[in-house]
Amino acid sequence: VASENRIIVASAKTGKVHREIADVAAPRGITDAPDGSLLVSTAGSVVRIDPRSGKRTTVVRGLSDPHGLDIARGGGADNVLA
């Protein structure tokens, strides 16, 4: 929920909310990573968030205003496209 600076993790099947992750600065785009973490584009960066613990790691800084995210897989490496 971008206007509230939070992410809601819910079941796609039932809609049941499993977790809310607060204090995510202006989340714009989100995708799931192969390791089960979430990659989130925020105002100027891409952040990896563990949906269970809420732990955050900045993956990329200094971006203009990323909105969409995807992961290009192959060649033994995963690349984040923002």
Side-chain angles (χ1 to χ4, degrees):
V1 183
S3 65
E4 298 177 16
N5 293 329
R6 65 188 174 122
I7 296 171
I8 296 172
V9 180
S11 168
K13 186 175 182 178
T14 67
K16 179 183 176 187
V17 174
H18 297 290
R19 179 170 175 79
E20 292 189 27
I21 303 169
D23 300 322
V24 180
R28 290 177 168 78
I30 189 167
T31 191
D32 59 325
D35 66 358
S37 65
L38 303 173
L39 293 171
V40 182
S41 61
T42 66
S45 66
V46 175
V47 178
R48 179 184 305 273
I49 301 175
D50 181 317
R52 291 176 270 323
S53 70
K55 180 182 176 190
R56 299 153 205 221
T57 306
T58 300
V59 177
V60 180
R61 295 179 201 269
L63 300 175
S64 175
D65 193 19
H67 277 65
L69 281 177
D70 202 354
I71 297 177
R73 295 179 173 101
D78 293 336
N79 295 300
V80 176
L81 308 173

